[in-house]
Amino acid sequence: MSQWFLDKELKALNGWQLTAFSVAVTERMFPNFALFSNLLEFGDRDQVRSILDGIWNKLGNSGAKMNFEVQQANIEANMPDLDQFDMYGASPALDAMVALYSTVNCLLEPNSNEAANVGNLALESVATFIEVTADSDMSDEQLLRHISQHDMMLQEEGFQEEVIRRISALKKPSSAFIDELKLLAANDGVSNIGVSE
């Protein structure tokens, strides 16, 4: 799935659909932050979880109220500084938080560029993981081919396409649809790079 394809698909979506795409992709990245948070006792995993749930609830019209402008500062407080953590796990944790920040932006002011940012962050997160775990003897060309054909990359691309397909088919979301989308995105607690907390 090319960047061009993703941008084109997202430009055809309306406000709630852009937020639904963004939160679904971010949900699938959440365990990357949660595991890092648990292992390094960094940030506030429960706070991040409640912000994610607040976005789902807003989409499903559950009546729960959350001040999302305030939550943006909370999300920033949970972004690991890569200069402070010289371990790989900080990078996917940061990606998940940046994706969540963009998702809240999308909720406050729908924007296909913010949604595309979330989708691309998730794909980059997967690409980086594959690169870090790849055979170091590979040439650049072999590595690019390895990344593009890797099961994890194909799964992430397939997941994003499936989310777009599902939300494109609806004019307005029902709470049952949002619950189904959340279940799909949660992926039994396994993230887009195969970790669970």
Side-chain angles (χ1 to χ4, degrees), residues 3 5 20 33 54 58 68 71 95 103 106 116 119 131-132 134 138 156:
Q3 165 102 38
F5 173 81
F33 171 79
K58 176 98 171 142
F68 289 102
Q71 300 310 330
D95 288 345
T103 299
C106 216
E131 188 175 345
V132 166
M138 282 186 189
E156 179 62 31

Side-chain angles (χ1 to χ4, degrees), residues 39-113:
L39 290 177
L40 279 92
E41 296 181 353
F42 169 84
D44 188 337
R45 179 206 168 280
D46 293 340
Q47 182 183 55
V48 171
R49 178 70 260 171
S50 76
I51 296 168
L52 252 177
D53 289 341
I55 298 166
W56 286 113
N57 292 337
K58 176 98 171 142
L59 282 170
N61 285 322
S62 71
K65 290 277 182 279
M66 184 176 268
N67 183 332
F68 289 102
E69 281 95 347
V70 170
Q71 300 310 330
Q72 287 179 309
N74 292 334
I75 297 167
E76 285 181 329
N78 280 287
M79 289 182 182
D81 180 348
L82 297 186
D83 293 334
Q84 286 184 335
F85 298 98
D86 60 348
M87 55 182 294
Y88 162 73
S91 178
L94 177 62
D95 288 345
M97 289 304 91
V98 175
L100 182 57
Y101 193 88
S102 286
T103 299
V104 170
N105 282 346
C106 216
L107 179 70
L108 294 170
E109 198 165 317
N111 181 323
S112 64
N113 291 335

Side-chain angles (χ1 to χ4, degrees), residues 129-145:
F129 176 79
I130 298 167
E131 188 175 345
V132 166
T133 54
D135 187 340
S136 58
D137 296 338
M138 282 186 189
S139 69
D140 288 352
E141 197 177 309
Q142 287 173 317
L143 182 61
L144 284 173
R145 193 178 312 120

Side-chain angles (χ1 to χ4, degrees), residues 92-182:
L94 177 62
D95 288 345
M97 289 304 91
V98 175
L100 182 57
Y101 193 88
S102 286
T103 299
V104 170
N105 282 346
C106 216
L107 179 70
L108 294 170
E109 198 165 317
N111 181 323
S112 64
N113 291 335
E114 289 281 15
N117 183 36
V118 174
N120 288 319
L121 264 171
L123 292 166
E124 282 164 24
S125 222
V126 174
T128 304
F129 176 79
I130 298 167
E131 188 175 345
V132 166
T133 54
D135 187 340
S136 58
D137 296 338
M138 282 186 189
S139 69
D140 288 352
E141 197 177 309
Q142 287 173 317
L143 182 61
L144 284 173
R145 193 178 312 120
H146 176 63
I147 289 170
S148 67
Q149 295 172 351
H150 197 284
D151 278 352
M152 274 186 182
M153 183 57 80
L154 298 176
Q155 283 166 10
E156 179 62 31
E157 289 175 348
F159 166 69
Q160 291 193 22
E161 285 167 14
E162 174 66 10
V163 171
I164 289 172
R165 189 186 67 76
R166 289 191 185 196
I167 58 185
S168 299
L170 278 188
K171 286 205 166 32
K172 285 177 74 174
S174 64
S175 57
F177 171 81
I178 294 300
D179 288 346
E180 280 171 26
L181 191 63
K182 184 178 181 182

